[in-house]
Amino acid sequence: MFFVSGCVTNVLDVENRSEQPISTELRNEMQRKGMSGSDPILIRIFKQESELEVWKKDNTGRYALLKTYPMCRWSGKLGPKKRDGDRQAPEGIYHVSSSMLNPNSKYFLSFDLGYPNRLEKALGYTGNALMVHGACSSSGCFALTDEGVAEIYALARDALRGGQPEFQVQSFPFRMTPRNLAKYRDDDNYGFWTDLKAGHDLFEATRLTPKVSLCGGRYVFNTEFPYGEPKDPLDPCPAVNGRMNSVASMKTEADPTAVEQMLGSNAGPAPHAYVDGGMHPVFRKLLAEKGADVLANRASIDAVPVSRPRAALADTHTEDE
């Protein structure tokens, strides 16, 4: 259940926005789940569902879901970002350090994802300044409203100050389920998405940060290279000893069978044809009922205009799919 709040609350102190403490409510939730403010975090983003998850290590040493945030706006279509100006929000695995936090963002607060990462550079992808930020406007970024990014920024800041050198951000096109994979079986990005799914499944099974390696122009996870990881991400992957958790391995092997079964039984509706990105249903409802000006005022204390509101309304994805 998501709640779209007003534009200014006790969470938002404009004069000291980057140093605002984690709210009492969220601290109480962390305490209930055996977490502290300085414990490491991990972030997962799901474009189709327009959701961002913050996971945090608890007293077992593994990650547990702390909170899911509805995204107000992302741009482009499903698929990775490949070139500057394509309006694509990125998909892949990223690592964010303290130097990538921006306390002076024009979109309230933000952090840089580090696009292009080493693999994307090797593939010749271009672009820069791909952010998670406030407001409800996107040109390749993930916008969460000022209040949403204020909480996420505080969680990231305290984890990094607590000793986590960097936190991993996993950006996916959609929830990595057999049903969703079946919908996009003929998409040109299907191979890339199945590579990402291996890392997704590892995290699902272990609740530990998967180790990311690069070879053959792709991501590989929790892999031991007998003579060291290839220096060039485009070099062929050598014979390796994989260390995938057995539960994750079973899931990764079983899901393609489930995909084929769904393809044979008309798995579901046709893929979404995004005009330009998406918006979580709670915000899209507000946009449809109240208009872009009201949503902009709710999303940002500076009333940043909603980017391409007509395109946002064209996104028909719902939480029930």
Side-chain angles (χ1 to χ4, degrees):
M1 183 72 178
F2 298 108
F3 176 69
V4 184
S5 66
C7 61
V8 180
T9 74
N10 58 358
V11 175
L12 305 182
D13 182 338
V14 181
E15 298 301 320
N16 198 25
R17 62 186 67 176
S18 68
E19 292 300 326
Q20 289 301 294
I22 298 171
S23 69
T24 300
E25 180 182 4
L26 198 54
R27 284 190 177 278
N28 289 341
E29 180 67 7
M30 286 192 292
Q31 185 175 14
R32 188 181 70 81
K33 293 182 175 181
M35 306 165 178
S36 72
S38 60
D39 286 329
I41 66 167
L42 181 145
I43 287 176
R44 300 201 305 180
I45 294 170
F46 298 94
K47 288 166 69 173
Q48 179 171 270
E49 292 77 11
S50 297
E51 291 180 352
L52 181 150
E53 297 176 344
V54 176
W55 293 71
K56 202 164 180 56
K57 273 193 177 179
D58 60 19
N59 51 20
T60 69
R62 296 179 184 270
Y63 284 94
L65 179 62
L66 174 59
K67 188 170 180 177
T68 300
Y69 294 85
M71 289 194 291
C72 197
R73 200 73 175 93
W74 59 271
S75 60
K77 302 179 185 297
L78 300 185
K81 182 177 182 63
K82 294 185 177 181
R83 67 182 184 277
D84 192 25
D86 63 6
R87 292 186 61 80
Q88 283 290 96
E91 295 171 10
I93 309 298
Y94 305 93
H95 296 88
V96 178
S97 62
S98 58
S99 65
M100 298 161 73
L101 304 186
N102 182 5
N104 302 307
S105 172
K106 66 178 181 179
Y107 296 113
F108 196 74
L109 292 167
S110 67
F111 59 83
D112 196 312
L113 289 170
Y115 174 94
N117 62 25
R118 200 161 66 89
L119 175 60
E120 291 159 339
K121 288 178 182 177
L123 292 170
Y125 296 174
T126 58
N128 61 80
L130 279 298
M131 305 278 181
V132 171
H133 60 59
C136 195
S137 178
S138 170
S139 182
C141 297
F142 298 108
L144 285 114
T145 77
D146 291 356
E147 187 168 6
V149 82
E151 280 198 357
I152 297 164
Y153 188 98
L155 289 165
R157 177 200 65 213
D158 286 6
L160 292 169
R161 287 179 180 175
Q164 185 177 18
E166 59 184 17
F167 61 89
Q168 191 173 99
V169 178
Q170 304 171 356
S171 181
F172 300 108
F174 38 69
R175 299 269 173 196
M176 305 301 279
T177 64
R179 177 173 291 278
N180 278 334
L181 289 169
K183 287 181 185 178
Y184 297 99
R185 181 64 178 82
D186 295 326
D187 194 285
D188 290 343
N189 295 301
Y190 184 81
F192 168 67
W193 290 337
T194 56
D195 285 343
L196 283 182
K197 186 180 186 305
H200 170 277
D201 292 351
L202 267 169
F203 181 74
E204 287 282 304
T206 65
R207 296 292 192 257
L208 296 172
T209 305
K211 177 182 178 292
V212 182
S213 299
L214 309 171
C215 62
R218 54 193 286 257
Y219 295 105
V220 292
F221 299 93
N222 283 24
T223 300
E224 290 185 347
F225 295 90
Y227 303 106
E229 183 178 330
K231 292 183 178 180
D232 188 331
L234 302 184
D235 286 344
C237 295
V240 297
N241 298 315
R243 299 179 59 191
M244 180 175 281
N245 174 277
S246 59
V247 176
S249 180
M250 289 171 61
K251 177 175 176 56
T252 299
E253 291 170 4
D255 278 0
T257 301
V259 167
E260 294 303 323
Q261 290 172 345
M262 287 182 178
L263 286 170
S265 61
N266 298 317
H272 301 288
Y274 293 95
V275 175
D276 185 358
M279 174 180 282
H280 193 278
V282 297
F283 296 114
R284 195 167 65 247
K285 181 180 180 182
L286 180 61
L287 175 62
E289 292 179 352
K290 302 294 184 180
D293 290 343
V294 171
L295 178 55
N297 282 320
R298 293 282 185 91
S300 174
I301 61 171
D302 296 319
V304 176
V306 177
S307 60
R308 304 193 181 187
R310 289 185 180 179
L313 289 173
D315 169 22
T316 58
H317 178 77
T318 65
E319 293 177 276
D320 296 331
E321 291 180 353

